Amino acid sequence: MMRTRPLKVALLGCGVVGSEVARIMTTHADDLAARIGAPVELAGVAVRRPDKVRGGVPAELITTDATALVKRGDIDVVVEVIGGIEPARTLITTAFEHGASVVSANKALLAQDGASLYAAAQQHGQDLYYEAAVAGAIPLIRPLRESLAGDKINRVMGIVNGTTNFILDKMDTSGAGYSEALDEATALGYAEADPTADVEGFDAAAKAAILAGIAFHTRVRLDDVYREGMTEVTAADFASAKQMGCTIKLLAICERAAHGGSVTARVHPAMIPLSHPLASVREAYNAVFVEAEAAGQLMFYGPGAGGSPTASAVLGDVVAVCRNRLNEATGPGESAYTQLPVSSMGEVVTRYHISLDVADKPGVLAQVATVFAEHGVSIDTVRQQGKDGEASLVVVTHRAPDAALSGTVEALRKLDTVRGVASIMRVEGE
């Protein structure tokens, strides 16, 4: 039997995502009620600019006092889609204190302060759900923390930012330079006026922290994630990648060390073989590749951003939280029992593609090879082209620690025969 008293939802933020959440709640009210077992009522919408026209949202629901809204006491679920650290953090903890569960899409806050939010939710017996914080509409958080809870996850690698994937895809398929591809992404609405958070990897790093924490049952903060942007990727890098049968993606990689005693989380551009499933992810789509001991290899693919896809993830969480409230239960909280340390980037072992500008004369290759050997980095392949006294030397290594590679590059820069290091890129997915 369906309960007649509605569950009340407060919405913090009514921008691209928030307005879609409000629209879906209104247009699919009957379906949502049937799925939950009780009606769901939009009880208030907190915004900064009350005069802005918001189609489908009754004017009487609009308020600029978000604090008063979450303190009402009759609110069952607070949906936070305003982003940023403050006032979002204070509003979420206030919601818990006044008896409401929270659904959030706030990746930055969860990556920076997820542990304290979990603690506040547990203290007050409330839910904290955040499927929309990573990869938009793609079901990812719930599979990791529920469906795969009985398995051991060893690696999570994926494309978690649509803007950067669109740019790199255009550079790959059309031969466009970075600036040209960024301009197209901006014109189509994929890139913000200030794209720094995307192209410098901040957005992906926040998502990597969240994914690593869930996958490895340990606390991983944003500061633990190595971050490298993709603004230095060039057409020449793509040409080299194609010669290797690869393409280039900005990847978020979270992995358990081979010995099992630590984890790493990193974001950086990388060459991946065209045979890898992530290589075929085009335009602004996201995809995440999960490697687990029992389940094997799994891939989650779909639109990673946008109003409707993100609202879909938000409403999925709202349904789950409302069901929990009807059953007087809560869903999974923080799982950080392993307390594994997060290793530095220097301990990460991977392959590298290094392009050097060198003098075109006898003995250069031998000098370069000696430097690699002295630092314990084994060379897989070498390609050399020269003309008019100048040459390019492309070295692809076997797997080696990042620290060893860094030392190698420093030593190479000191050679008289090396004019410069044109590019350094990791090779993943093999």
Side-chain angles (χ1 to χ4, degrees):
M1 177 180 291
M2 181 177 294
R3 193 182 81 167
T4 57
R5 183 175 68 82
L7 292 159
K8 295 188 177 183
V9 176
L11 180 60
L12 307 182
C14 199
V16 174
V17 176
S19 60
E20 274 297 290
V21 170
R23 183 189 67 79
I24 294 172
M25 283 189 63
T26 302
T27 57
H28 298 310
D30 291 342
D31 286 335
L32 291 172
R35 294 165 190 171
I36 292 168
V40 180
E41 174 187 311
L42 186 60
V45 181
V47 299
R48 287 185 299 173
R49 298 187 295 276
D51 297 332
K52 182 179 177 181
V53 176
R54 294 175 173 85
V57 180
E60 63 269 20
L61 295 183
I62 299 293
T63 178
T64 57
D65 194 342
T67 301
L69 179 59
V70 300
K71 282 184 173 181
R72 275 178 36 172
D74 64 337
I75 300 296
D76 293 286
V77 184
V78 170
V79 174
E80 183 271 308
V81 288
I82 57 178
I85 305 302
E86 289 291 356
R89 174 168 47 200
T90 299
L91 290 170
I92 288 173
T93 54
T94 301
F96 291 144
E97 292 165 2
H98 287 78
S101 289
V102 173
V103 171
S104 176
N106 196 330
K107 54 188 170 288
L109 177 57
L110 287 159
Q112 178 173 307
D113 212 15
S116 67
L117 296 182
Y118 269 126
Q122 182 178 15
Q123 178 185 351
H124 297 285
Q126 304 301 327
D127 272 325
L128 173 63
Y129 276 55
Y130 48 90
E131 184 67 64
V134 181
I138 304 172
L140 183 59
I141 300 300
R142 194 171 289 117
L144 286 177
R145 72 173 184 168
E146 295 182 34
S147 303
L148 294 172
D151 208 338
K152 181 181 180 182
I153 297 173
N154 292 318
R155 198 169 201 239
V156 179
M157 179 173 77
I159 299 162
V160 295
N161 183 276
T163 300
T164 54
N165 199 56
F166 180 89
I167 293 170
L168 292 172
D169 182 50
K170 289 303 175 184
M171 292 176 69
D172 185 23
T173 57
S174 70
Y178 167 76
S179 297
E180 183 182 352
L182 174 59
D183 288 343
E184 184 174 355
T186 303
L188 292 173
Y190 292 126
E192 302 286 346
D194 180 0
T196 303
D198 294 325
V199 300
E200 294 295 351
F202 290 101
D203 175 84
K207 295 170 182 176
I210 294 170
L211 292 175
I214 297 171
F216 307 131
H217 303 278
T218 196
R219 287 179 179 170
V220 180
R221 290 171 49 88
L222 181 58
D223 292 345
D224 295 322
V225 182
Y226 172 84
R227 178 192 55 79
E228 186 180 316
M230 43 77 70
T231 57
E232 300 300 318
V233 177
T234 66
D237 292 325
F238 274 102
S240 292
K242 288 180 179 179
Q243 290 182 332
M244 292 178 57
C246 294
T247 188
I248 299 171
K249 299 292 186 180
L250 183 74
L251 299 178
I253 304 172
C254 314
E255 57 190 350
R256 192 188 300 266
H259 54 73
S262 66
V263 299
T264 58
R266 51 195 165 102
V267 169
H268 54 72
M271 294 182 179
I272 58 173
L274 294 176
S275 58
H276 194 282
L278 291 177
S280 61
V281 179
R282 302 287 308 279
E283 298 196 333
Y285 278 80
N286 284 194
V288 177
F289 201 73
V290 177
E291 299 176 26
E293 284 197 356
Q297 297 179 333
L298 307 169
M299 185 161 134
F300 301 83
Y301 170 85
S308 294
T310 306
S312 171
V314 169
L315 266 298
D317 280 351
V318 169
V319 169
V321 170
C322 286
R323 287 171 174 169
N324 289 344
R325 289 184 81 82
L326 288 180
N327 293 322
E328 298 182 348
T330 55
E334 182 185 30
S335 177
Y337 73 93
T338 64
Q339 299 183 27
L340 295 173
V342 182
S343 297
S344 68
M345 187 63 190
E347 298 178 59
V348 171
V349 177
T350 189
R351 298 178 67 205
Y352 297 87
H353 175 283
I354 304 166
S355 180
L356 304 171
D357 295 326
V358 300
D360 187 15
K361 62 182 184 180
V364 172
L365 180 55
Q367 285 184 325
V368 169
T370 297
V371 169
F372 276 88
E374 289 174 346
H375 288 81
V377 180
S378 176
I379 294 176
D380 182 16
T381 62
V382 177
R383 187 174 68 254
Q384 184 173 7
Q385 293 178 323
K387 184 179 180 181
D388 299 329
E390 298 296 329
S392 63
L393 192 65
V394 176
V395 178
V396 179
T397 75
H398 287 292
R399 291 171 60 82
D402 189 87
L405 192 280
S406 297
T408 302
V409 172
E410 287 298 313
L412 288 172
R413 294 184 193 277
K414 297 176 182 178
L415 293 178
D416 293 338
T417 51
V418 174
R419 311 295 193 218
V421 180
S423 70
I424 304 172
M425 192 167 296
R426 295 167 183 87
V427 182
E428 299 286 348
E430 296 183 312

